Amino acid sequence: MQWRALLLGLVLLRLGLHGVLWLVFGLGPSMGFYQRFPLSFGFQRLRSPDGPASPASGPVGRPGGLSGPSWLQSPGTGAARGPRQAPRRPGPGMCGPAHWGYVLGGRGRGPDEYEKRYSGAFPPQLRAQMRDLARGMFVFGYDNYMAHAFPQDELNPIHCRGRGPDRGDPSNLNINDVLGNYSLTLVDALDTLAIMGNSSEFQKAVKLVINTVSFDRDSTVQVFEATIRVLGSLLSAHRIITDSKQPFGDMTIKDYDNELLYMAHDLAVRLLPAFENTKTGIPFPRVNLKTGVPPDSNNETCTAGAGSLLVEFGILSRLLGDSTFEWVARRAVKALWNLRSNDTGLLGNVVNIQTGHWVGKQSGLGAGLDSFYEYLLKSYILFGEKEDLEMFNAAYQSIQNYLRRGREACNEGEGDPPLYVNVNMFSGQLMNTWIDSLQAFFPGLQVLIGDVEDAICLHAFYYAIWKRYGALPERYNWQLQAPDVLFYPLRPELVESTYLLYQATKNPFYLHVGMDILQSLEKYTKVKCGYATLHHVIDKSTEDRMESFFLSETCKYLYLLFDEDNPVHKSGTRYMFTTEGHIISVDEHLRELPWKEFFSEEGGQDQEGRSVHRLKPHELKVINSSSNCNRVPDERRYSLPLKSIYMRQIDQMVGLI
């Protein structure tokens, strides 16, 4: 009987300890995120504006007893068994002020403090002040780049000097993938100047780009980075200059003769070798702008890098009337899509371009996959191709089925708040317990498809992390409640989602979020000649680098958040932003296929029933090569025999068509 008494005593002791923990610290045996997040950001039960908070969820009733948060369970266990249904769309009043009181108010504060701080009207004077602060942030970074770094690619804001490719260490991909010795920061910032209404500086910058930037460089760059940062910006600025409505003010250039479009064409031609000699159609990750794919090039590439070229390449094709660029980009997307898991519908993050085997089997929403999903939807928005929307819808359903963990609805029900985790693409099993900062783009994407409630909940998760550190660590371990990778390179993803959520809800809460982000950037990252990467989000030490996306995206989205009267919001023309934040007007012109009457895989018949040979992309180029935009790019200016090298590349690709 002694052992029974001893056992009973141990049980009572354990229960007593748990009771003390609940009373003193508010911690229970469950390790759910909402119960442990420090600094008063407890994710307690969210509450709708018109009703009381739901009871805080605990271990009682959870499948598996005291097994930890549902995020740690696979989709096939417990309450998550079976495919999830499509997420509920938000109902009226789901996202009002009291809803946020329990996300951001913290224990003991309640909704009243939230009401006082977050939900009141954001005064027009304060809004104007924040708009001017965002503009000033851009101007400070831009002016210092022009004064101390141009024509180099980036600004080192601490030592006030420029940065270019690391010629001494070709393996330094963190630098060399991005910097191509083509005045990257200036090129990337062109449309931000226009959006801020600075016509004189925009015109000056465009002329500088036309007169000084060349892509005839012995630089090996990542195809993805060159496409989204440089090609996308050239196309955006070209569209702004040639827009007959001129919504941002007079951004026209005297005697402008489509030079930016020809530069975009020149760059794209130099990127085309990445699509050669690949058995799958998935491109090599890097090319040398002068010599093509390096002999020792890696056969492995990330899904986002290879599958996020369609927007820029598609725009270029449709402006030039040449299908080649869109065709190679679309072929890569389809090749990746066909490699997805038959069981889960998910894709991995790294693939071998020759064998089609998945080298990285992790499926998530962050690095390596993020913009692949983004561009499936945005390609449909721009080009109206039904297959793009079908792929996106299927991908989104797989994401909801296997990556989304937690309760069904953001605002009600039992279980932990929703979170998107990293899983094995074949099994859907959890692979790790971290998420990265790039995933913060996803709420903005959810806004575009109308899944606003889920967007609100996921955005709150990332904003809570920002509030804790004054920045967003590159990688955050949600189980340990601590950063895994501590730096913050001035990324825009959280700002982008904040801007899009404000446009969708008009809730002043997001203006307060933007103000918090602005103030944090001013406090922790502003240095002598610009804004510096945070090396360590806890001790706030800095690194001497200001990446180009700080001006092209972070400052742009902050400015637009507070500039209610911006033409982006007032113009009758609808706009879309690329993954690098470059603005593109959505119009019928981009939904036309100038080559459709010539191009068909199958051939066909004319109106009289006669057999007609349909041209393939390499044949089409012969017809269009001398007529694109009514003139051929100046070969002397670009120091490259474009026509001959272009035809050679296309001829080598014939076997792949």
Side-chain angles (χ1 to χ4, degrees):
M1 297 299 292
Q2 290 182 347
W3 67 270
R4 293 183 179 176
L6 179 61
L7 180 61
L8 179 61
L10 290 173
V11 170
L12 292 174
L13 178 62
R14 181 175 180 179
L15 290 173
L17 287 173
H18 282 313
V20 171
L21 287 173
W22 275 110
L23 291 172
V24 178
F25 300 106
L27 296 175
S30 172
M31 303 301 285
F33 174 79
Y34 66 92
Q35 293 170 315
R36 299 183 61 225
F37 205 100
L39 299 188
S40 299
F41 278 90
F43 263 137
Q44 294 99 342
R45 178 68 58 252
L46 305 184
R47 144 182 156 170
S48 67
D50 302 320
S54 305
S57 65
V60 179
R62 177 182 295 167
L66 309 181
S67 59
S70 59
W71 300 333
L72 293 174
Q73 302 175 18
S74 68
T77 61
R81 187 180 305 278
R84 292 185 70 253
Q85 299 299 314
R88 292 167 18 114
R89 295 294 182 255
M94 290 290 283
C95 309
H99 167 99
W100 285 110
Y102 279 77
V103 178
L104 298 169
R107 286 184 184 83
R109 297 185 180 185
D112 291 342
E113 181 171 328
Y114 167 78
E115 295 281 354
K116 180 179 178 181
R117 180 175 180 189
Y118 285 104
S119 68
F122 204 85
Q125 298 86 349
L126 182 58
R127 187 170 188 149
Q129 182 183 347
M130 292 300 104
R131 179 200 62 206
D132 293 343
L133 181 59
R135 181 195 284 121
M137 181 178 291
F138 171 84
V139 170
F140 185 68
Y142 176 85
D143 286 351
N144 274 288
Y145 166 77
M146 295 304 297
H148 302 291
F150 176 79
Q152 291 183 274
D153 287 308
E154 283 182 353
L155 170 68
N156 287 353
I158 296 175
H159 289 97
C160 304
R161 60 191 181 206
R163 179 200 294 267
D166 188 351
R167 303 296 190 190
D169 183 9
S171 66
N172 186 0
L173 300 181
N174 184 45
I175 297 297
N176 293 328
D177 272 357
V178 177
L179 309 188
N181 196 20
Y182 37 40
S183 302
L184 173 63
T185 296
L186 175 63
V187 175
D188 212 2
L190 289 177
D191 66 307
T192 308
L193 288 166
I195 285 173
M196 292 186 177
N198 192 340
S199 58
S200 61
E201 190 60 37
F202 174 78
Q203 293 162 346
K204 177 182 175 182
V206 168
K207 291 175 183 177
L208 265 178
V209 169
I210 292 172
N211 294 327
T212 66
V213 173
S214 170
F215 301 120
D216 186 30
R217 304 289 189 183
D218 183 19
S219 298
T220 299
V221 295
Q222 191 184 76
V223 175
F224 170 71
E225 294 289 359
T227 297
I228 66 169
R229 299 201 197 201
V230 182
L231 182 62
S233 185
L234 293 172
L235 293 171
S236 176
H238 168 74
R239 297 270 288 173
I240 289 170
I241 294 168
T242 57
D243 187 345
S244 61
K245 297 179 181 178
Q246 288 296 302
F248 302 109
D250 184 7
M251 300 294 163
T252 58
I253 307 291
K254 185 179 181 181
D255 299 324
Y256 179 72
D257 194 17
N258 296 326
E259 287 90 348
L260 296 185
L261 181 59
Y262 303 135
M263 293 180 71
H265 176 256
D266 176 39
L267 175 59
V269 167
R270 296 172 186 272
L271 299 178
L272 274 182
F275 297 88
E276 300 173 21
N277 303 316
T278 159
K279 296 178 181 178
T280 61
I282 302 170
F284 285 90
R286 297 172 183 86
V287 296
N288 183 285
L289 295 177
K290 188 182 285 285
T291 62
V293 177
D296 59 347
S297 184
N298 192 349
N299 284 327
E300 297 174 0
T301 188
C302 70
T303 302
S308 304
L309 309 173
L310 185 52
V311 166
E312 289 83 3
F313 274 45
I315 293 171
L316 181 63
S317 272
R318 292 170 189 242
L319 292 180
L320 294 175
D322 177 357
S323 67
T324 305
F325 304 101
E326 180 172 341
W327 184 84
V328 295
R330 189 172 292 280
R331 182 172 183 266
V333 171
K334 290 181 179 178
L336 288 164
W337 183 251
N338 290 334
L339 294 175
R340 70 194 188 280
S341 167
N342 291 329
D343 296 323
T344 65
L346 298 173
L347 295 88
N349 58 348
V350 180
V351 67
N352 186 298
I353 68 171
Q354 303 297 354
T355 66
H357 292 156
W358 289 104
V359 179
K361 299 177 178 61
Q362 176 175 301
S363 192
L365 298 178
L369 276 157
D370 50 353
S371 55
F372 177 80
Y373 300 122
E374 177 185 5
Y375 268 21
L376 290 178
L377 180 62
K378 290 186 174 180
S379 294
Y380 171 72
I381 292 172
L382 271 183
F383 308 133
E385 299 288 345
K386 187 177 179 181
E387 64 179 346
D388 295 334
L389 181 61
E390 291 172 347
M391 285 189 287
F392 175 80
N393 284 336
Y396 192 70
Q397 189 61 58
S398 294
I399 289 169
Q400 296 297 90
N401 287 344
Y402 293 97
L403 271 60
R404 187 184 187 277
R405 304 293 172 86
R407 58 177 173 260
E408 182 71 21
C410 173
N411 205 39
E412 58 188 19
E414 296 301 318
D416 297 308
L419 179 69
Y420 291 83
V421 299
N422 299 317
V423 303
N424 183 290
M425 64 172 288
F426 295 108
S427 66
Q429 298 295 318
L430 190 72
M431 287 193 71
N432 49 58
T433 58
W434 53 259
I435 43 85
D436 63 60
S437 64
L438 290 172
Q439 185 185 319
F441 92 98
F442 198 66
L445 190 65
Q446 291 180 306
V447 167
L448 295 184
I449 61 171
D451 200 353
V452 178
E453 184 184 349
D454 250 24
I456 286 171
C457 210
L458 186 59
H459 176 273
F461 171 78
Y462 278 97
Y463 178 50
I465 299 172
W466 181 285
K467 286 292 291 181
R468 181 180 180 186
Y469 299 107
L472 205 56
E474 190 73 349
R475 185 179 290 179
Y476 185 83
N477 191 306
W478 47 261
Q479 184 181 41
L480 300 177
Q481 303 301 303
D484 277 351
V485 179
L486 287 154
F487 70 90
Y488 167 64
L490 309 175
R491 289 201 188 278
E493 284 75 18
L494 179 61
V495 185
E496 176 185 8
S497 290
T498 302
Y499 164 65
L500 291 172
L501 271 166
Y502 178 72
Q503 290 302 313
T505 66
K506 297 301 181 182
N507 191 319
F509 166 76
Y510 295 106
L511 299 177
H512 288 278
V513 173
M515 183 168 65
D516 278 347
I517 293 173
L518 265 172
Q519 292 172 339
S520 295
L521 291 170
E522 283 289 312
K523 181 177 181 180
Y524 299 124
T525 71
K526 190 173 185 179
V527 292
K528 182 179 179 182
C529 292
Y531 294 84
T533 292
L534 279 184
H535 175 72
H536 197 293
V537 297
I538 297 176
D539 67 24
K540 303 300 187 292
S541 56
T542 56
E543 293 181 17
D544 199 9
R545 186 177 188 186
M546 188 180 81
E547 293 217 40
S548 67
F549 53 65
F550 177 69
L551 298 183
S552 72
E553 296 185 83
T554 307
C555 292
K556 178 185 294 165
Y557 287 128
L558 283 169
Y559 179 81
L560 286 173
L561 174 65
F562 295 107
D563 188 21
E564 185 77 8
D565 296 325
N566 195 277
V568 172
H569 310 135
K570 297 295 185 181
S571 174
T573 305
R574 294 174 298 166
Y575 291 100
M576 190 196 78
F577 294 96
T578 71
T579 195
E580 183 71 9
H582 298 305
I583 194 166
I584 299 292
S585 58
V586 181
D587 56 50
E588 289 300 318
H589 179 63
L590 289 179
R591 295 198 167 200
E592 297 172 356
L593 293 175
W595 55 84
K596 192 170 185 178
E597 60 182 294
F598 299 105
F599 174 70
S600 171
E601 297 271 348
E602 303 297 332
Q605 295 180 334
D606 62 15
Q607 292 180 349
E608 299 178 4
R610 293 174 298 190
S611 178
V612 175
H613 171 63
R614 298 300 186 188
L615 300 178
K616 294 183 177 181
H618 67 286
E619 297 174 306
L620 176 65
K621 182 56 193 173
V622 176
I623 291 178
N624 285 346
S625 61
S626 62
S627 61
N628 289 337
C629 301
N630 299 317
R631 77 177 177 99
V632 179
D634 187 344
E635 295 180 2
R636 292 170 298 176
R637 181 169 157 222
Y638 295 121
S639 303
L640 177 73
L642 288 183
K643 186 174 180 181
S644 60
I645 192 172
Y646 191 69
M647 289 306 302
R648 175 181 62 80
Q649 293 165 354
I650 299 301
D651 288 341
Q652 290 175 352
M653 294 171 61
V654 172
L656 301 178
I657 297 174

